[in-house]
PDB file of all heavy atoms in Angstrom:
ATOM      1  N   ALA A  37      12.258  -7.637  11.593  1.00 61.00           N
ATOM      2  CA  ALA A  37      13.403  -7.754  12.427  1.00 61.00           C
ATOM      3  C   ALA A  37      13.127  -8.705  13.605  1.00 61.00           C
ATOM      4  O   ALA A  37      14.031  -9.504  13.943  1.00 61.00           O
ATOM      5  CB  ALA A  37      13.629  -6.319  13.070  1.00 61.00           C
ATOM      6  N   VAL A  38      11.984  -8.708  14.164  1.00 70.00           N
ATOM      7  CA  VAL A  38      11.658  -9.675  15.215  1.00 70.00           C
ATOM      8  C   VAL A  38      11.498 -11.117  14.708  1.00 70.00           C
ATOM      9  O   VAL A  38      12.061 -12.012  15.261  1.00 70.00           O
ATOM     10  CB  VAL A  38      10.373  -9.223  15.959  1.00 70.00           C
ATOM     11  CG1 VAL A  38       9.974 -10.198  17.089  1.00 70.00           C
ATOM     12  CG2 VAL A  38      10.441  -7.810  16.486  1.00 70.00           C
ATOM     13  N   TYR A  39      10.814 -11.170  13.535  1.00 73.00           N
ATOM     14  CA  TYR A  39      10.673 -12.520  12.919  1.00 73.00           C
ATOM     15  C   TYR A  39      11.971 -13.205  12.565  1.00 73.00           C
ATOM     16  O   TYR A  39      12.263 -14.279  12.880  1.00 73.00           O
ATOM     17  CB  TYR A  39       9.740 -12.426  11.718  1.00 73.00           C
ATOM     18  CG  TYR A  39       9.469 -13.760  11.038  1.00 73.00           C
ATOM     19  CD1 TYR A  39       8.343 -14.470  11.363  1.00 73.00           C
ATOM     20  CD2 TYR A  39      10.316 -14.216  10.096  1.00 73.00           C
ATOM     21  CE1 TYR A  39       8.102 -15.701  10.729  1.00 73.00           C
ATOM     22  CE2 TYR A  39      10.064 -15.457   9.460  1.00 73.00           C
ATOM     23  CZ  TYR A  39       8.998 -16.177   9.813  1.00 73.00           C
ATOM     24  OH  TYR A  39       8.775 -17.352   9.236  1.00 73.00           O
ATOM     25  N   ASP A  40      12.845 -12.391  11.927  1.00 71.00           N
ATOM     26  CA  ASP A  40      14.095 -12.912  11.478  1.00 71.00           C
ATOM     27  C   ASP A  40      14.959 -13.381  12.614  1.00 71.00           C
ATOM     28  O   ASP A  40      15.629 -14.380  12.560  1.00 71.00           O
ATOM     29  CB  ASP A  40      14.894 -11.846  10.688  1.00 71.00           C
ATOM     30  CG  ASP A  40      14.258 -11.598   9.324  1.00 71.00           C
ATOM     31  OD1 ASP A  40      13.408 -12.410   8.913  1.00 71.00           O
ATOM     32  OD2 ASP A  40      14.557 -10.573   8.693  1.00 71.00           O
ATOM     33  N   ASN A  41      14.935 -12.662  13.710  1.00 69.00           N
ATOM     34  CA  ASN A  41      15.701 -12.992  14.898  1.00 69.00           C
ATOM     35  C   ASN A  41      15.252 -14.288  15.477  1.00 69.00           C
ATOM     36  O   ASN A  41      16.009 -15.192  15.792  1.00 69.00           O
ATOM     37  CB  ASN A  41      15.565 -11.860  15.983  1.00 69.00           C
ATOM     38  CG  ASN A  41      16.423 -12.145  17.203  1.00 69.00           C
ATOM     39  OD1 ASN A  41      17.659 -12.217  17.128  1.00 69.00           O
ATOM     40  ND2 ASN A  41      15.697 -12.361  18.320  1.00 69.00           N
ATOM     41  N   GLU A  42      13.976 -14.471  15.535  1.00 79.00           N
ATOM     42  CA  GLU A  42      13.388 -15.746  16.158  1.00 79.00           C
ATOM     43  C   GLU A  42      13.517 -16.937  15.195  1.00 79.00           C
ATOM     44  O   GLU A  42      13.820 -18.041  15.650  1.00 79.00           O
ATOM     45  CB  GLU A  42      11.908 -15.514  16.458  1.00 79.00           C
ATOM     46  CG  GLU A  42      11.737 -14.539  17.616  1.00 79.00           C
ATOM     47  CD  GLU A  42      12.315 -15.006  18.930  1.00 79.00           C
ATOM     48  OE1 GLU A  42      13.567 -14.805  19.103  1.00 79.00           O
ATOM     49  OE2 GLU A  42      11.638 -15.472  19.796  1.00 79.00           O
ATOM     50  N   ILE A  43      13.394 -16.726  13.898  1.00 78.00           N
ATOM     51  CA  ILE A  43      13.567 -17.879  12.888  1.00 78.00           C
ATOM     52  C   ILE A  43      15.008 -18.349  12.892  1.00 78.00           C
ATOM     53  O   ILE A  43      15.249 -19.524  12.776  1.00 78.00           O
ATOM     54  CB  ILE A  43      13.009 -17.510  11.555  1.00 78.00           C
ATOM     55  CG1 ILE A  43      12.740 -18.857  10.734  1.00 78.00           C
ATOM     56  CG2 ILE A  43      13.919 -16.650  10.817  1.00 78.00           C
ATOM     57  CD1 ILE A  43      11.453 -19.455  11.009  1.00 78.00           C
ATOM     58  N   LEU A  44      15.923 -17.382  13.064  1.00 77.00           N
ATOM     59  CA  LEU A  44      17.340 -17.804  13.096  1.00 77.00           C
ATOM     60  C   LEU A  44      17.711 -18.505  14.381  1.00 77.00           C
ATOM     61  O   LEU A  44      18.353 -19.532  14.372  1.00 77.00           O
ATOM     62  CB  LEU A  44      18.223 -16.473  13.087  1.00 77.00           C
ATOM     63  CG  LEU A  44      18.586 -16.002  11.639  1.00 77.00           C
ATOM     64  CD1 LEU A  44      19.390 -14.693  11.832  1.00 77.00           C
ATOM     65  CD2 LEU A  44      19.477 -17.003  10.913  1.00 77.00           C
ATOM     66  N   ARG A  45      17.067 -18.101  15.441  1.00 81.00           N
ATOM     67  CA  ARG A  45      17.220 -18.798  16.703  1.00 81.00           C
ATOM     68  C   ARG A  45      16.728 -20.200  16.688  1.00 81.00           C
ATOM     69  O   ARG A  45      17.359 -21.163  17.156  1.00 81.00           O
ATOM     70  CB  ARG A  45      16.611 -17.991  17.875  1.00 81.00           C
ATOM     71  CG  ARG A  45      16.804 -18.578  19.284  1.00 81.00           C
ATOM     72  CD  ARG A  45      16.547 -17.563  20.336  1.00 81.00           C
ATOM     73  NE  ARG A  45      15.156 -17.251  20.531  1.00 81.00           N
ATOM     74  CZ  ARG A  45      14.319 -17.950  21.393  1.00 81.00           C
ATOM     75  NH1 ARG A  45      14.875 -18.892  22.109  1.00 81.00           N
ATOM     76  NH2 ARG A  45      13.038 -17.598  21.522  1.00 81.00           N
ATOM     77  N   LEU A  46      15.530 -20.349  15.997  1.00 84.00           N
ATOM     78  CA  LEU A  46      14.933 -21.686  15.885  1.00 84.00           C
ATOM     79  C   LEU A  46      15.790 -22.591  14.958  1.00 84.00           C
ATOM     80  O   LEU A  46      16.032 -23.793  15.290  1.00 84.00           O
ATOM     81  CB  LEU A  46      13.502 -21.577  15.274  1.00 84.00           C
ATOM     82  CG  LEU A  46      12.726 -22.893  14.976  1.00 84.00           C
ATOM     83  CD1 LEU A  46      12.631 -23.710  16.253  1.00 84.00           C
ATOM     84  CD2 LEU A  46      11.414 -22.610  14.355  1.00 84.00           C
ATOM     85  N   LYS A  47      16.311 -22.085  13.912  1.00 80.00           N
ATOM     86  CA  LYS A  47      17.170 -22.878  13.020  1.00 80.00           C
ATOM     87  C   LYS A  47      18.383 -23.410  13.761  1.00 80.00           C
ATOM     88  O   LYS A  47      18.767 -24.584  13.631  1.00 80.00           O
ATOM     89  CB  LYS A  47      17.672 -22.017  11.831  1.00 80.00           C
ATOM     90  CG  LYS A  47      16.691 -21.862  10.766  1.00 80.00           C
ATOM     91  CD  LYS A  47      17.280 -21.053   9.600  1.00 80.00           C
ATOM     92  CE  LYS A  47      16.327 -20.806   8.454  1.00 80.00           C
ATOM     93  NZ  LYS A  47      16.883 -20.010   7.390  1.00 80.00           N
ATOM     94  N   LYS A  48      19.050 -22.549  14.571  1.00 82.00           N
ATOM     95  CA  LYS A  48      20.204 -22.997  15.289  1.00 82.00           C
ATOM     96  C   LYS A  48      19.891 -23.985  16.323  1.00 82.00           C
ATOM     97  O   LYS A  48      20.657 -25.011  16.483  1.00 82.00           O
ATOM     98  CB  LYS A  48      20.889 -21.757  15.949  1.00 82.00           C
ATOM     99  CG  LYS A  48      21.517 -20.806  14.942  1.00 82.00           C
ATOM    100  CD  LYS A  48      22.091 -19.511  15.608  1.00 82.00           C
ATOM    101  CE  LYS A  48      22.691 -18.553  14.641  1.00 82.00           C
ATOM    102  NZ  LYS A  48      23.119 -17.361  15.198  1.00 82.00           N
ATOM    103  N   LEU A  49      18.829 -23.820  16.964  1.00 86.00           N
ATOM    104  CA  LEU A  49      18.405 -24.831  18.050  1.00 86.00           C
ATOM    105  C   LEU A  49      18.046 -26.130  17.436  1.00 86.00           C
ATOM    106  O   LEU A  49      18.446 -27.271  17.914  1.00 86.00           O
ATOM    107  CB  LEU A  49      17.190 -24.283  18.835  1.00 86.00           C
ATOM    108  CG  LEU A  49      17.500 -23.186  19.897  1.00 86.00           C
ATOM    109  CD1 LEU A  49      16.147 -22.572  20.365  1.00 86.00           C
ATOM    110  CD2 LEU A  49      18.329 -23.716  20.992  1.00 86.00           C
ATOM    111  N   GLU A  50      17.317 -26.146  16.275  1.00 81.00           N
ATOM    112  CA  GLU A  50      17.003 -27.384  15.585  1.00 81.00           C
ATOM    113  C   GLU A  50      18.215 -28.103  15.096  1.00 81.00           C
ATOM    114  O   GLU A  50      18.250 -29.380  15.131  1.00 81.00           O
ATOM    115  CB  GLU A  50      15.998 -27.100  14.450  1.00 81.00           C
ATOM    116  CG  GLU A  50      14.650 -26.729  14.923  1.00 81.00           C
ATOM    117  CD  GLU A  50      13.688 -26.391  13.729  1.00 81.00           C
ATOM    118  OE1 GLU A  50      14.164 -26.210  12.606  1.00 81.00           O
ATOM    119  OE2 GLU A  50      12.443 -26.373  13.994  1.00 81.00           O
ATOM    120  N   GLU A  51      19.159 -27.365  14.573  1.00 79.00           N
ATOM    121  CA  GLU A  51      20.362 -27.966  14.089  1.00 79.00           C
ATOM    122  C   GLU A  51      21.197 -28.566  15.212  1.00 79.00           C
ATOM    123  O   GLU A  51      21.729 -29.710  15.134  1.00 79.00           O
ATOM    124  CB  GLU A  51      21.278 -26.940  13.335  1.00 79.00           C
ATOM    125  CG  GLU A  51      20.703 -26.552  12.029  1.00 79.00           C
ATOM    126  CD  GLU A  51      21.435 -25.420  11.389  1.00 79.00           C
ATOM    127  OE1 GLU A  51      22.445 -24.921  12.011  1.00 79.00           O
ATOM    128  OE2 GLU A  51      20.968 -24.862  10.315  1.00 79.00           O
ATOM    129  N   GLN A  52      21.257 -27.933  16.372  1.00 83.00           N
ATOM    130  CA  GLN A  52      22.051 -28.348  17.515  1.00 83.00           C
ATOM    131  C   GLN A  52      21.424 -29.529  18.239  1.00 83.00           C
ATOM    132  O   GLN A  52      22.083 -30.451  18.665  1.00 83.00           O
ATOM    133  CB  GLN A  52      22.267 -27.186  18.420  1.00 83.00           C
ATOM    134  CG  GLN A  52      23.260 -27.559  19.593  1.00 83.00           C
ATOM    135  CD  GLN A  52      23.532 -26.304  20.451  1.00 83.00           C
ATOM    136  OE1 GLN A  52      23.078 -25.161  20.165  1.00 83.00           O
ATOM    137  NE2 GLN A  52      24.252 -26.520  21.571  1.00 83.00           N
ATOM    138  N   TYR A  53      20.070 -29.535  18.252  1.00 82.00           N
ATOM    139  CA  TYR A  53      19.330 -30.586  19.061  1.00 82.00           C
ATOM    140  C   TYR A  53      18.414 -31.371  18.226  1.00 82.00           C
ATOM    141  O   TYR A  53      17.400 -31.835  18.651  1.00 82.00           O
ATOM    142  CB  TYR A  53      18.589 -29.883  20.190  1.00 82.00           C
ATOM    143  CG  TYR A  53      19.425 -29.129  21.165  1.00 82.00           C
ATOM    144  CD1 TYR A  53      19.589 -27.757  21.083  1.00 82.00           C
ATOM    145  CD2 TYR A  53      20.125 -29.838  22.124  1.00 82.00           C
ATOM    146  CE1 TYR A  53      20.385 -27.091  21.987  1.00 82.00           C
ATOM    147  CE2 TYR A  53      20.943 -29.213  23.006  1.00 82.00           C
ATOM    148  CZ  TYR A  53      21.057 -27.760  22.907  1.00 82.00           C
ATOM    149  OH  TYR A  53      21.909 -27.165  23.843  1.00 82.00           O
ATOM    150  N   ALA A  54      18.845 -31.617  16.980  1.00 80.00           N
ATOM    151  CA  ALA A  54      18.027 -32.473  15.995  1.00 80.00           C
ATOM    152  C   ALA A  54      17.781 -33.824  16.585  1.00 80.00           C
ATOM    153  O   ALA A  54      16.724 -34.439  16.264  1.00 80.00           O
ATOM    154  CB  ALA A  54      18.677 -32.505  14.696  1.00 80.00           C
ATOM    155  N   TYR A  55      18.673 -34.349  17.328  1.00 79.00           N
ATOM    156  CA  TYR A  55      18.553 -35.725  17.903  1.00 79.00           C
ATOM    157  C   TYR A  55      17.400 -35.836  18.875  1.00 79.00           C
ATOM    158  O   TYR A  55      16.980 -36.997  19.171  1.00 79.00           O
ATOM    159  CB  TYR A  55      19.860 -36.131  18.528  1.00 79.00           C
ATOM    160  CG  TYR A  55      20.259 -35.306  19.761  1.00 79.00           C
ATOM    161  CD1 TYR A  55      19.796 -35.711  21.057  1.00 79.00           C
ATOM    162  CD2 TYR A  55      21.027 -34.195  19.722  1.00 79.00           C
ATOM    163  CE1 TYR A  55      20.198 -34.995  22.230  1.00 79.00           C
ATOM    164  CE2 TYR A  55      21.368 -33.469  20.790  1.00 79.00           C
ATOM    165  CZ  TYR A  55      20.966 -33.927  22.086  1.00 79.00           C
ATOM    166  OH  TYR A  55      21.277 -33.171  23.180  1.00 79.00           O
ATOM    167  N   LEU A  56      16.795 -34.738  19.310  1.00 80.00           N
ATOM    168  CA  LEU A  56      15.720 -34.782  20.263  1.00 80.00           C
ATOM    169  C   LEU A  56      14.363 -35.008  19.533  1.00 80.00           C
ATOM    170  O   LEU A  56      13.307 -35.131  20.173  1.00 80.00           O
ATOM    171  CB  LEU A  56      15.592 -33.488  21.099  1.00 80.00           C
ATOM    172  CG  LEU A  56      16.795 -33.185  21.980  1.00 80.00           C
ATOM    173  CD1 LEU A  56      16.567 -31.856  22.669  1.00 80.00           C
ATOM    174  CD2 LEU A  56      17.045 -34.310  22.961  1.00 80.00           C
ATOM    175  N   PHE A  57      14.367 -34.919  18.170  1.00 80.00           N
ATOM    176  CA  PHE A  57      13.162 -35.011  17.389  1.00 80.00           C
ATOM    177  C   PHE A  57      13.134 -36.063  16.386  1.00 80.00           C
ATOM    178  O   PHE A  57      14.208 -36.526  15.893  1.00 80.00           O
ATOM    179  CB  PHE A  57      12.942 -33.650  16.614  1.00 80.00           C
ATOM    180  CG  PHE A  57      12.767 -32.495  17.528  1.00 80.00           C
ATOM    181  CD1 PHE A  57      13.856 -31.763  18.039  1.00 80.00           C
ATOM    182  CD2 PHE A  57      11.511 -31.977  17.875  1.00 80.00           C
ATOM    183  CE1 PHE A  57      13.699 -30.689  18.871  1.00 80.00           C
ATOM    184  CE2 PHE A  57      11.303 -30.906  18.690  1.00 80.00           C
ATOM    185  CZ  PHE A  57      12.418 -30.245  19.203  1.00 80.00           C
ATOM    186  N   THR A  58      12.003 -36.520  15.961  1.00 77.00           N
ATOM    187  CA  THR A  58      11.789 -37.490  14.839  1.00 77.00           C
ATOM    188  C   THR A  58      11.908 -36.679  13.569  1.00 77.00           C
ATOM    189  O   THR A  58      11.758 -35.512  13.494  1.00 77.00           O
ATOM    190  CB  THR A  58      10.478 -38.191  14.943  1.00 77.00           C
ATOM    191  OG1 THR A  58       9.421 -37.259  14.658  1.00 77.00           O
ATOM    192  CG2 THR A  58      10.258 -38.927  16.224  1.00 77.00           C
ATOM    193  N   TYR A  59      12.111 -37.388  12.483  1.00 69.00           N
ATOM    194  CA  TYR A  59      12.124 -36.767  11.114  1.00 69.00           C
ATOM    195  C   TYR A  59      10.873 -36.006  10.866  1.00 69.00           C
ATOM    196  O   TYR A  59      10.826 -34.930  10.330  1.00 69.00           O
ATOM    197  CB  TYR A  59      12.425 -37.844  10.068  1.00 69.00           C
ATOM    198  CG  TYR A  59      12.262 -37.334   8.633  1.00 69.00           C
ATOM    199  CD1 TYR A  59      13.195 -36.548   8.051  1.00 69.00           C
ATOM    200  CD2 TYR A  59      11.088 -37.641   7.932  1.00 69.00           C
ATOM    201  CE1 TYR A  59      13.040 -36.007   6.734  1.00 69.00           C
ATOM    202  CE2 TYR A  59      10.891 -37.198   6.590  1.00 69.00           C
ATOM    203  CZ  TYR A  59      11.915 -36.367   6.032  1.00 69.00           C
ATOM    204  OH  TYR A  59      11.742 -35.876   4.790  1.00 69.00           O
TER     205      TYR A  59
END
Side-chain angles (χ1 to χ4, degrees):
V38 179
Y39 182 92
D40 290 345
N41 182 64
E42 294 295 81
I43 198 80
L44 273 175
R45 185 160 73 92
L46 177 58
K47 281 182 180 179
K48 289 176 181 177
L49 286 171
E50 286 179 346
E51 288 170 5
Q52 188 176 354
Y53 297 100
Y55 65 88
L56 298 178
F57 296 85
T58 66
Y59 170 75

